[in-house]
Amino acid sequence: MAGRGSSFRITLTLVTLSAHLLLIAVTTLVLVWLLHFRGGLAFKSDNKEKIFNVHPLLMIVGFIMIGGEAIMSCKAVQGKRRAPILVHLILHFIALVAGIFGVCMAFRYHHVESMPDMYTLHSWLGLCTICLFGLQWMFAFFSFWYPGVKKPRRRRLMPWHWFAGMVIFLMAILTAETGLVQRSTYLRRQEALIVNFTGLLILLFATAVGLSVIHPSCLPPKSGSDPVISFPELVIGLADVVLTSNDS
């Protein structure tokens, strides 16, 4: 008979694998939606919808999916101390560039359609998210990579960096969901189902990324402890991380 602690166990590998599979599923649904139902993609076209279609592709796949992979890379990438940080920075930079181009394509579409800018909650959230993301990236680059602050200060800054990063990531998720709601209001049933499932999978992806962040695998294991983390141990580990960060 299984022990009491074995009823619900989570490994970091399972969490990250789930996130990768969700990324593939979201990317597939977005491509099916944009290529099959929306007519394709184009930077310049007489079909203005093709210009707009670049926006959700870059924002969902380029900004959110790659941004989520960047968050998980801190624990998923093995190697020397600076190797995970470098991967984290590069992936986030790719996500930032994709996000900036994605926002530009939305403005371009509004311009060719003579539509007003920044009049929806989606657009407000999106612009705030991109601006905060860029500031967060520059702060992290100069604080943790080059020239880098001293180790005691880095230790004090790290919890705030994690917190700010997750807030910005959740803002990106909220922005994507509000954008999908805007586009799905007047769609045909089959297309609306694709968009709705995309929104649900994006939410599940965000959940997997968040779980990878709070997973206490970064803590040194106790002597004789099981490397597989049970759910109660996960919660206790998160509390220990927060308390340790506050005391340092």
Side-chain angles (χ1 to χ4, degrees), residues 47-70:
N47 184 349
K48 300 180 180 61
E49 286 297 319
K50 289 186 178 182
I51 297 175
F52 177 82
N53 290 344
V54 179
H55 171 69
L57 177 68
L58 290 176
M59 301 311 295
I60 296 176
V61 178
F63 186 59
I64 293 178
M65 297 293 113
I66 295 179
E69 289 289 329

PDB file of all heavy atoms in Angstrom, residues 47-70:
ATOM      1  N   ASN A  47      -5.219  42.293 -48.457  1.00  0.00           N
ATOM      2  CA  ASN A  47      -6.085  41.724 -47.426  1.00  0.00           C
ATOM      3  C   ASN A  47      -5.552  42.163 -46.064  1.00  0.00           C
ATOM      4  O   ASN A  47      -4.577  41.609 -45.546  1.00  0.00           O
ATOM      5  CB  ASN A  47      -6.102  40.194 -47.527  1.00  0.00           C
ATOM      6  CG  ASN A  47      -7.070  39.564 -46.543  1.00  0.00           C
ATOM      7  OD1 ASN A  47      -7.588  40.223 -45.636  1.00  0.00           O
ATOM      8  ND2 ASN A  47      -7.308  38.276 -46.696  1.00  0.00           N
ATOM      9  N   LYS A  48      -6.180  43.159 -45.494  1.00  0.00           N
ATOM     10  CA  LYS A  48      -5.658  43.763 -44.264  1.00  0.00           C
ATOM     11  C   LYS A  48      -5.690  42.806 -43.075  1.00  0.00           C
ATOM     12  O   LYS A  48      -4.932  42.971 -42.119  1.00  0.00           O
ATOM     13  CB  LYS A  48      -6.429  45.048 -43.952  1.00  0.00           C
ATOM     14  CG  LYS A  48      -6.322  46.105 -45.041  1.00  0.00           C
ATOM     15  CD  LYS A  48      -7.088  47.355 -44.699  1.00  0.00           C
ATOM     16  CE  LYS A  48      -6.969  48.410 -45.787  1.00  0.00           C
ATOM     17  NZ  LYS A  48      -7.511  47.964 -47.076  1.00  0.00           N
ATOM     18  N   GLU A  49      -6.579  41.812 -43.121  1.00  0.00           N
ATOM     19  CA  GLU A  49      -6.633  40.831 -42.034  1.00  0.00           C
ATOM     20  C   GLU A  49      -5.332  40.042 -41.942  1.00  0.00           C
ATOM     21  O   GLU A  49      -4.931  39.629 -40.853  1.00  0.00           O
ATOM     22  CB  GLU A  49      -7.819  39.883 -42.230  1.00  0.00           C
ATOM     23  CG  GLU A  49      -9.169  40.494 -41.921  1.00  0.00           C
ATOM     24  CD  GLU A  49      -9.295  40.899 -40.460  1.00  0.00           C
ATOM     25  OE1 GLU A  49      -8.829  40.143 -39.586  1.00  0.00           O
ATOM     26  OE2 GLU A  49      -9.849  41.986 -40.189  1.00  0.00           O
ATOM     27  N   LYS A  50      -4.680  39.820 -43.085  1.00  0.00           N
ATOM     28  CA  LYS A  50      -3.405  39.104 -43.068  1.00  0.00           C
ATOM     29  C   LYS A  50      -2.344  39.898 -42.307  1.00  0.00           C
ATOM     30  O   LYS A  50      -1.472  39.319 -41.650  1.00  0.00           O
ATOM     31  CB  LYS A  50      -2.940  38.824 -44.495  1.00  0.00           C
ATOM     32  CG  LYS A  50      -3.756  37.777 -45.232  1.00  0.00           C
ATOM     33  CD  LYS A  50      -3.131  37.474 -46.580  1.00  0.00           C
ATOM     34  CE  LYS A  50      -3.913  36.381 -47.311  1.00  0.00           C
ATOM     35  NZ  LYS A  50      -3.286  36.039 -48.614  1.00  0.00           N
ATOM     36  N   ILE A  51      -2.416  41.213 -42.412  1.00  0.00           N
ATOM     37  CA  ILE A  51      -1.476  42.057 -41.662  1.00  0.00           C
ATOM     38  C   ILE A  51      -1.732  41.920 -40.174  1.00  0.00           C
ATOM     39  O   ILE A  51      -0.798  41.763 -39.369  1.00  0.00           O
ATOM     40  CB  ILE A  51      -1.607  43.527 -42.116  1.00  0.00           C
ATOM     41  CG1 ILE A  51      -1.239  43.664 -43.587  1.00  0.00           C
ATOM     42  CG2 ILE A  51      -0.741  44.435 -41.247  1.00  0.00           C
ATOM     43  CD1 ILE A  51      -1.451  45.050 -44.153  1.00  0.00           C
ATOM     44  N   PHE A  52      -2.997  41.951 -39.786  1.00  0.00           N
ATOM     45  CA  PHE A  52      -3.318  41.825 -38.362  1.00  0.00           C
ATOM     46  C   PHE A  52      -2.937  40.453 -37.817  1.00  0.00           C
ATOM     47  O   PHE A  52      -2.541  40.323 -36.653  1.00  0.00           O
ATOM     48  CB  PHE A  52      -4.800  42.062 -38.123  1.00  0.00           C
ATOM     49  CG  PHE A  52      -5.194  41.872 -36.686  1.00  0.00           C
ATOM     50  CD1 PHE A  52      -5.002  42.876 -35.762  1.00  0.00           C
ATOM     51  CD2 PHE A  52      -5.736  40.652 -36.254  1.00  0.00           C
ATOM     52  CE1 PHE A  52      -5.340  42.690 -34.435  1.00  0.00           C
ATOM     53  CE2 PHE A  52      -6.079  40.463 -34.938  1.00  0.00           C
ATOM     54  CZ  PHE A  52      -5.886  41.484 -34.016  1.00  0.00           C
ATOM     55  N   ASN A  53      -3.043  39.403 -38.647  1.00  0.00           N
ATOM     56  CA  ASN A  53      -2.788  38.049 -38.174  1.00  0.00           C
ATOM     57  C   ASN A  53      -1.366  37.853 -37.643  1.00  0.00           C
ATOM     58  O   ASN A  53      -1.116  36.943 -36.843  1.00  0.00           O
ATOM     59  CB  ASN A  53      -3.050  37.037 -39.296  1.00  0.00           C
ATOM     60  CG  ASN A  53      -4.522  36.920 -39.624  1.00  0.00           C
ATOM     61  OD1 ASN A  53      -5.380  37.342 -38.858  1.00  0.00           O
ATOM     62  ND2 ASN A  53      -4.815  36.367 -40.793  1.00  0.00           N
ATOM     63  N   VAL A  54      -0.444  38.693 -38.110  1.00  0.00           N
ATOM     64  CA  VAL A  54       0.922  38.604 -37.593  1.00  0.00           C
ATOM     65  C   VAL A  54       0.956  38.956 -36.101  1.00  0.00           C
ATOM     66  O   VAL A  54       1.776  38.431 -35.352  1.00  0.00           O
ATOM     67  CB  VAL A  54       1.855  39.542 -38.397  1.00  0.00           C
ATOM     68  CG1 VAL A  54       3.286  39.481 -37.860  1.00  0.00           C
ATOM     69  CG2 VAL A  54       1.832  39.170 -39.868  1.00  0.00           C
ATOM     70  N   HIS A  55       0.045  39.825 -35.682  1.00  0.00           N
ATOM     71  CA  HIS A  55       0.013  40.275 -34.282  1.00  0.00           C
ATOM     72  C   HIS A  55      -0.238  39.127 -33.307  1.00  0.00           C
ATOM     73  O   HIS A  55       0.584  38.910 -32.400  1.00  0.00           O
ATOM     74  CB  HIS A  55      -1.041  41.380 -34.116  1.00  0.00           C
ATOM     75  CG  HIS A  55      -1.304  41.765 -32.704  1.00  0.00           C
ATOM     76  ND1 HIS A  55      -0.376  42.440 -31.924  1.00  0.00           N
ATOM     77  CD2 HIS A  55      -2.388  41.554 -31.907  1.00  0.00           C
ATOM     78  CE1 HIS A  55      -0.874  42.649 -30.717  1.00  0.00           C
ATOM     79  NE2 HIS A  55      -2.096  42.111 -30.675  1.00  0.00           N
ATOM     80  N   PRO A  56      -1.327  38.355 -33.431  1.00  0.00           N
ATOM     81  CA  PRO A  56      -1.516  37.260 -32.468  1.00  0.00           C
ATOM     82  C   PRO A  56      -0.447  36.188 -32.555  1.00  0.00           C
ATOM     83  O   PRO A  56      -0.099  35.570 -31.539  1.00  0.00           O
ATOM     84  CB  PRO A  56      -2.906  36.705 -32.832  1.00  0.00           C
ATOM     85  CG  PRO A  56      -3.182  37.173 -34.202  1.00  0.00           C
ATOM     86  CD  PRO A  56      -2.482  38.481 -34.347  1.00  0.00           C
ATOM     87  N   LEU A  57       0.115  35.954 -33.759  1.00  0.00           N
ATOM     88  CA  LEU A  57       1.177  34.954 -33.876  1.00  0.00           C
ATOM     89  C   LEU A  57       2.401  35.364 -33.059  1.00  0.00           C
ATOM     90  O   LEU A  57       2.942  34.564 -32.283  1.00  0.00           O
ATOM     91  CB  LEU A  57       1.564  34.767 -35.341  1.00  0.00           C
ATOM     92  CG  LEU A  57       2.720  33.788 -35.586  1.00  0.00           C
ATOM     93  CD1 LEU A  57       2.285  32.363 -35.254  1.00  0.00           C
ATOM     94  CD2 LEU A  57       3.212  33.875 -37.027  1.00  0.00           C
ATOM     95  N   LEU A  58       2.828  36.609 -33.222  1.00  0.00           N
ATOM     96  CA  LEU A  58       4.019  37.079 -32.506  1.00  0.00           C
ATOM     97  C   LEU A  58       3.759  37.206 -31.007  1.00  0.00           C
ATOM     98  O   LEU A  58       4.649  36.903 -30.201  1.00  0.00           O
ATOM     99  CB  LEU A  58       4.472  38.428 -33.078  1.00  0.00           C
ATOM    100  CG  LEU A  58       5.073  38.396 -34.485  1.00  0.00           C
ATOM    101  CD1 LEU A  58       5.384  39.813 -34.961  1.00  0.00           C
ATOM    102  CD2 LEU A  58       6.329  37.547 -34.520  1.00  0.00           C
ATOM    103  N   MET A  59       2.571  37.635 -30.638  1.00  0.00           N
ATOM    104  CA  MET A  59       2.301  37.857 -29.221  1.00  0.00           C
ATOM    105  C   MET A  59       2.096  36.545 -28.458  1.00  0.00           C
ATOM    106  O   MET A  59       2.565  36.413 -27.314  1.00  0.00           O
ATOM    107  CB  MET A  59       1.072  38.757 -29.048  1.00  0.00           C
ATOM    108  CG  MET A  59       1.193  40.109 -29.697  1.00  0.00           C
ATOM    109  SD  MET A  59       2.721  40.997 -29.311  1.00  0.00           S
ATOM    110  CE  MET A  59       2.542  41.265 -27.555  1.00  0.00           C
ATOM    111  N   ILE A  60       1.404  35.587 -29.067  1.00  0.00           N
ATOM    112  CA  ILE A  60       1.136  34.332 -28.363  1.00  0.00           C
ATOM    113  C   ILE A  60       2.339  33.398 -28.430  1.00  0.00           C
ATOM    114  O   ILE A  60       2.852  32.944 -27.398  1.00  0.00           O
ATOM    115  CB  ILE A  60      -0.125  33.647 -28.929  1.00  0.00           C
ATOM    116  CG1 ILE A  60      -1.361  34.509 -28.673  1.00  0.00           C
ATOM    117  CG2 ILE A  60      -0.307  32.265 -28.299  1.00  0.00           C
ATOM    118  CD1 ILE A  60      -2.642  33.954 -29.285  1.00  0.00           C
ATOM    119  N   VAL A  61       2.799  33.121 -29.646  1.00  0.00           N
ATOM    120  CA  VAL A  61       3.896  32.170 -29.806  1.00  0.00           C
ATOM    121  C   VAL A  61       5.236  32.816 -29.473  1.00  0.00           C
ATOM    122  O   VAL A  61       6.054  32.244 -28.737  1.00  0.00           O
ATOM    123  CB  VAL A  61       3.912  31.597 -31.235  1.00  0.00           C
ATOM    124  CG1 VAL A  61       5.087  30.628 -31.415  1.00  0.00           C
ATOM    125  CG2 VAL A  61       2.597  30.883 -31.536  1.00  0.00           C
ATOM    126  N   GLY A  62       5.474  34.021 -30.011  1.00  0.00           N
ATOM    127  CA  GLY A  62       6.769  34.663 -29.802  1.00  0.00           C
ATOM    128  C   GLY A  62       6.949  35.247 -28.426  1.00  0.00           C
ATOM    129  O   GLY A  62       7.997  35.051 -27.786  1.00  0.00           O
ATOM    130  N   PHE A  63       5.935  35.947 -27.928  1.00  0.00           N
ATOM    131  CA  PHE A  63       6.078  36.663 -26.652  1.00  0.00           C
ATOM    132  C   PHE A  63       5.754  35.764 -25.459  1.00  0.00           C
ATOM    133  O   PHE A  63       6.586  35.585 -24.555  1.00  0.00           O
ATOM    134  CB  PHE A  63       5.169  37.890 -26.658  1.00  0.00           C
ATOM    135  CG  PHE A  63       5.340  38.785 -25.463  1.00  0.00           C
ATOM    136  CD1 PHE A  63       6.562  39.360 -25.188  1.00  0.00           C
ATOM    137  CD2 PHE A  63       4.273  39.051 -24.622  1.00  0.00           C
ATOM    138  CE1 PHE A  63       6.725  40.191 -24.077  1.00  0.00           C
ATOM    139  CE2 PHE A  63       4.415  39.867 -23.517  1.00  0.00           C
ATOM    140  CZ  PHE A  63       5.646  40.445 -23.248  1.00  0.00           C
ATOM    141  N   ILE A  64       4.570  35.165 -25.443  1.00  0.00           N
ATOM    142  CA  ILE A  64       4.144  34.410 -24.262  1.00  0.00           C
ATOM    143  C   ILE A  64       4.817  33.047 -24.186  1.00  0.00           C
ATOM    144  O   ILE A  64       5.361  32.663 -23.132  1.00  0.00           O
ATOM    145  CB  ILE A  64       2.613  34.260 -24.251  1.00  0.00           C
ATOM    146  CG1 ILE A  64       1.958  35.624 -24.044  1.00  0.00           C
ATOM    147  CG2 ILE A  64       2.177  33.287 -23.158  1.00  0.00           C
ATOM    148  CD1 ILE A  64       0.447  35.588 -24.061  1.00  0.00           C
ATOM    149  N   MET A  65       4.801  32.287 -25.273  1.00  0.00           N
ATOM    150  CA  MET A  65       5.372  30.938 -25.229  1.00  0.00           C
ATOM    151  C   MET A  65       6.886  30.963 -24.996  1.00  0.00           C
ATOM    152  O   MET A  65       7.404  30.258 -24.131  1.00  0.00           O
ATOM    153  CB  MET A  65       5.055  30.184 -26.527  1.00  0.00           C
ATOM    154  CG  MET A  65       3.574  29.944 -26.776  1.00  0.00           C
ATOM    155  SD  MET A  65       2.816  28.809 -25.590  1.00  0.00           S
ATOM    156  CE  MET A  65       1.694  29.916 -24.737  1.00  0.00           C
ATOM    157  N   ILE A  66       7.596  31.779 -25.743  1.00  0.00           N
ATOM    158  CA  ILE A  66       9.047  31.853 -25.551  1.00  0.00           C
ATOM    159  C   ILE A  66       9.371  32.497 -24.205  1.00  0.00           C
ATOM    160  O   ILE A  66      10.321  32.096 -23.527  1.00  0.00           O
ATOM    161  CB  ILE A  66       9.709  32.625 -26.709  1.00  0.00           C
ATOM    162  CG1 ILE A  66       9.534  31.852 -28.013  1.00  0.00           C
ATOM    163  CG2 ILE A  66      11.198  32.848 -26.435  1.00  0.00           C
ATOM    164  CD1 ILE A  66      10.132  32.522 -29.227  1.00  0.00           C
ATOM    165  N   GLY A  67       8.559  33.477 -23.796  1.00  0.00           N
ATOM    166  CA  GLY A  67       8.756  34.062 -22.474  1.00  0.00           C
ATOM    167  C   GLY A  67       8.577  33.038 -21.372  1.00  0.00           C
ATOM    168  O   GLY A  67       9.335  33.016 -20.384  1.00  0.00           O
ATOM    169  N   GLY A  68       7.578  32.169 -21.512  1.00  0.00           N
ATOM    170  CA  GLY A  68       7.394  31.099 -20.533  1.00  0.00           C
ATOM    171  C   GLY A  68       8.559  30.134 -20.517  1.00  0.00           C
ATOM    172  O   GLY A  68       9.007  29.683 -19.451  1.00  0.00           O
ATOM    173  N   GLU A  69       9.074  29.782 -21.698  1.00  0.00           N
ATOM    174  CA  GLU A  69      10.251  28.920 -21.770  1.00  0.00           C
ATOM    175  C   GLU A  69      11.453  29.579 -21.102  1.00  0.00           C
ATOM    176  O   GLU A  69      12.263  28.904 -20.446  1.00  0.00           O
ATOM    177  CB  GLU A  69      10.574  28.607 -23.234  1.00  0.00           C
ATOM    178  CG  GLU A  69       9.596  27.686 -23.918  1.00  0.00           C
ATOM    179  CD  GLU A  69       9.699  26.261 -23.406  1.00  0.00           C
ATOM    180  OE1 GLU A  69      10.794  25.831 -23.001  1.00  0.00           O
ATOM    181  OE2 GLU A  69       8.670  25.562 -23.402  1.00  0.00           O
ATOM    182  N   ALA A  70      11.576  30.890 -21.249  1.00  0.00           N
ATOM    183  CA  ALA A  70      12.677  31.605 -20.605  1.00  0.00           C
ATOM    184  C   ALA A  70      12.572  31.514 -19.090  1.00  0.00           C
ATOM    185  O   ALA A  70      13.580  31.345 -18.391  1.00  0.00           O
ATOM    186  CB  ALA A  70      12.674  33.065 -21.052  1.00  0.00           C
TER     187      ALA A  70
END
